[in-house]
Amino acid sequence: MEKRLRLAPSPTGLFHIGTARTALFNWLYAKKIGGKFLIRIEDTDFLRSKSEYTKNILEGLKWLGLKWDEEPIKQSDRISIHKSYIKKLLECGAAYRCFATDDEITELREEQKKKGLPPKHDNRHRSLSKEEIETFISQGRTSVIRFKIEENIQITWIDQIKGEIKWQGKDLGGDLVLSRRAKGYEIGDPLYNLAVVIDDNYMNITHVIRGEDHISNTAKQILIYEALDLKLPTFSHTPLILNLEGKKLSKRDCVTSIDEFKDMGYLPEALTNYMAFLGWSPKSADSEILSLDKISKIFDLSDINKAGAKFSWEKLNWINSQYIKKMESTKLSEIIKKYWDDMGWEPPSEEWAIKLTILLRDSMNLLKDAIDQSKPFFLLPPIQKEGKDFLENNDSKAFLKNILDYLDERNTVKLDKEKATEILNEISKMHNIKKGILMKSLRIAFFGCLSGPDLIQSWELLSESKSDLSRIERCLN
Ligand code: GLU
């Protein structure tokens, strides 16, 4: 039988890291078992669902490299089918109309609250007579459809991640609402738990992998599967992503949407690599830097942790830096050039852009770091206090003058690394200056401070952009 997995996002917000990780686990497992990865857009919450969020989710999946295998399904296209199943449940007596008003339900909740009890419906309309129903309808009351959940049953399943899970009927909050309010004998729009069962069945989903916040929904859904005599998929509930304090990762933790990660300069390959290890501890991985393809070969649900996974920026940054280091330099340079373009910075040549990319990439965590790190190659950096002190307290100015004179006498304009090294060696010998001090002086002239990228390579680049001499000259006055 074909193995079929799905992501069923609700388009009520931007593509969230939690949903992305669920997508990734589904995608990886589908690849691992030779199955298909499908998408169903759960857009039946008409007030909160927006087509721009659907677009954002699909674009985010594409950006991450998680391709789906069939045209995505829209839940809202299937409402009449959901309703026909609700009708079936009504007809077989597994569901009934409940006419309790919002006020009556609020009153019940208040009473329960006073007694310190959890919210639970009291199933008051489970056995209404035909006459009672008629009366409610004639009073103009609307009704929802509720699915009967017996108090004394136990729902058990073998979760592929958590192992055996047992849930008691009495802990499911009373009879389950399947549809929104409707007038007369109409059936209102279907709600999540009903629609999921019908659609997973329609899509022939064999494996459901989703966040552990859905565990109690699974218990309810299993009862609906059974009442309709539908084939059950296997269920796997993944641990949630937590912040460093151990609470569910939320907007307060700075970024949570995939777009934001993209804008901050994370590479999709790095983000998926990081997300895969969020809650997954493979026995057989020899490195934490693994492509999706490699991960999919060793991925197994049994290696997913039961406990929540803490999100670490430090680890993500490290993984991102590893991908930046490994990236083909022309490709990386193309990305970095877009940032330069936004800043209005123009590299003197293609070759120069690639050389600067290579020079900077080892110290970059994020693609965006390229802006700050390449800035001193485009704009003259001011001389900072440590630089000024150094120039005053050493014979730096004289040394810098030696360099200028040397270049002037020999009419040296464009330098390469070898030439720059040779010049420094010669000047240090000619004037008996320690090479270290000579280099520090030059560094201050170029960057205004004592830290920065490799000096010789920087000199080569600054000489090509014709700003090395003026940077040295400014220190002499
Ligand atoms: N629409 C649900 C969500 O976004 C899907 C849950 C499921 O996978 O069944 O949480």
Side-chain angles (χ1 to χ4, degrees), residues 215-359:
I215 288 186
S216 69
N217 286 329
T218 298
K220 294 169 191 168
Q221 290 169 23
I222 288 177
L223 293 175
I224 301 176
Y225 273 100
E226 286 170 351
L228 289 168
D229 200 19
L230 302 176
K231 193 167 173 347
L232 282 163
T234 64
F235 292 101
S236 310
H237 291 91
T238 61
L240 298 180
I241 305 178
L242 308 173
N243 64 16
L244 287 178
E245 284 108 58
K247 300 211 179 81
K248 188 175 167 182
L249 195 73
S250 74
K251 293 214 172 73
R252 259 167 278 135
D253 299 297
C254 291
V255 294
T256 45
S257 90
I258 294 302
D259 275 354
E260 287 170 288
F261 285 96
K262 184 176 170 188
D263 291 346
M264 284 170 72
Y266 290 98
L267 288 163
E269 300 85 350
L271 190 55
T272 46
N273 187 156
Y274 172 69
M275 285 194 298
F277 279 92
L278 252 183
W280 171 65
S281 314
K283 292 175 207 85
S284 53
D286 44 13
S287 160
E288 281 190 300
I289 304 298
L290 290 175
S291 68
L292 278 189
D293 201 39
K294 284 203 182 114
I295 294 176
S296 73
K297 298 212 163 73
I298 55 170
F299 188 79
D300 212 334
L301 296 175
S302 59
D303 292 331
I304 294 181
N305 308 338
K306 293 184 177 56
K310 279 200 181 152
F311 187 90
S312 156
W313 287 105
E314 211 182 314
K315 179 90 176 278
L316 172 60
N317 287 347
W318 177 77
I319 292 188
N320 206 53
S321 74
Q322 301 304 305
Y323 276 85
I324 291 178
K325 279 196 188 81
K326 275 200 328 197
M327 204 166 177
E328 220 256 303
S329 38
T330 43
K331 194 173 161 201
L332 182 58
S333 176
E334 284 309 314
I335 297 176
I336 291 179
K337 274 195 316 208
K338 286 201 191 95
Y339 287 113
W340 292 345
D341 227 30
D342 293 344
M343 303 300 292
W345 299 341
E346 209 180 315
S349 71
E350 199 55 32
E351 195 196 347
W352 187 93
I354 293 178
K355 275 188 200 157
L356 181 54
T357 300
I358 294 171
L359 176 61

Side-chain angles (χ1 to χ4, degrees), residues 6 8-10 40 42 192 196 210 214:
R6 61 24 168 213
S10 307
R40 180 176 67 242
E42 304 212 313
Y192 165 71
V196 165
R210 59 186 168 201
H214 283 290

Side-chain angles (χ1 to χ4, degrees), residues 92-107:
C92 73
Y96 62 91
R97 286 181 192 282
C98 171
F99 293 88
T101 62
D102 286 340
D103 285 347
E104 285 168 352
I105 288 182
T106 311
E107 200 180 309

